Amino acid sequence: AQEVPAAPELPPVPSGAGTLVGEVALAGARPADLIVTPFYLGDFGPGRPVVRDHVPQPTPLPSRRFVGTAGQFRWDGLAPGSYAVHVVAPDRGVAMVRAQVTAALAGNASAALAPAASIAGRAVDDRGVELAGVEIAVRVDELPLALVTTDAHGTFLAPDLPPGAARII
């Protein structure tokens, strides 16, 4: 039997002088509770070379919660580059936006939230036996948006996903 190679570790996202800002609305109202997760897509974009020897891998930054900010957020200390930003008003709405951050200009991740989607299911093996304690990863546009664990009956729920096609791994 051959040994399976370990998954490559993604490099840490470099820090920088960039800022990401946003103003979020849901049906015209500004939610008081937001969870923001930027995914660093790389240092390409306006004024940067497009030629690469490999496709950049999205690198998620740890999520931050903004409470009582009337639908606004500001994230300082980001590396210049392109970002995909997952914005969630828990149990209410969600959006996925793209932003370009430079050292001189803040990236704009403002969004109008759409109703949140969810994926639920049950994990079973080939014989139909329920699989408890299995990690289920959900990707949307190749971004890892949820990692949930099945319960004792093999069921799982991944909430607060943007509408659209999702892939379960």
Side-chain angles (χ1 to χ4, degrees):
Q2 286 185 328
E3 192 172 305
V4 177
E9 286 195 33
L10 297 174
V13 177
S15 61
T19 300
L20 191 63
V21 297
E23 199 166 277
V24 179
L26 177 64
R30 303 227 180 265
D33 185 7
L34 296 174
I35 298 172
V36 179
T37 308
F39 292 82
Y40 181 69
L41 301 177
D43 60 348
F44 57 93
R48 299 225 179 351
V50 176
V51 178
R52 294 270 179 186
D53 60 346
H54 66 283
V55 176
Q57 296 295 313
T59 305
L61 279 70
S63 299
R64 286 191 186 169
R65 194 163 204 158
F66 297 86
V67 179
T69 60
Q72 297 178 339
F73 65 90
R74 179 184 175 112
W75 194 313
D76 293 315
L78 296 174
S82 296
Y83 289 83
V85 184
H86 185 227
V87 181
V88 176
D91 300 322
R92 300 190 60 212
V94 63
M96 182 67 74
V97 295
R98 301 280 175 143
Q100 182 71 32
V101 173
T102 69
L105 296 171
N108 184 359
S110 296
L113 302 180
S118 62
I119 293 178
R122 195 175 84 163
V124 296
D125 67 11
D126 293 342
R127 298 168 295 177
V129 176
E130 299 164 339
L131 299 173
V134 173
E135 285 191 340
I136 306 289
V138 180
R139 290 180 165 264
V140 176
D141 294 332
E142 294 307 311
L143 300 174
L145 294 186
L147 182 63
V148 295
T149 304
T150 59
D151 65 12
H153 302 287
T155 60
F156 65 91
L157 171 66
D160 294 329
L161 300 172
R167 187 165 57 117
I168 297 174
I169 304 171

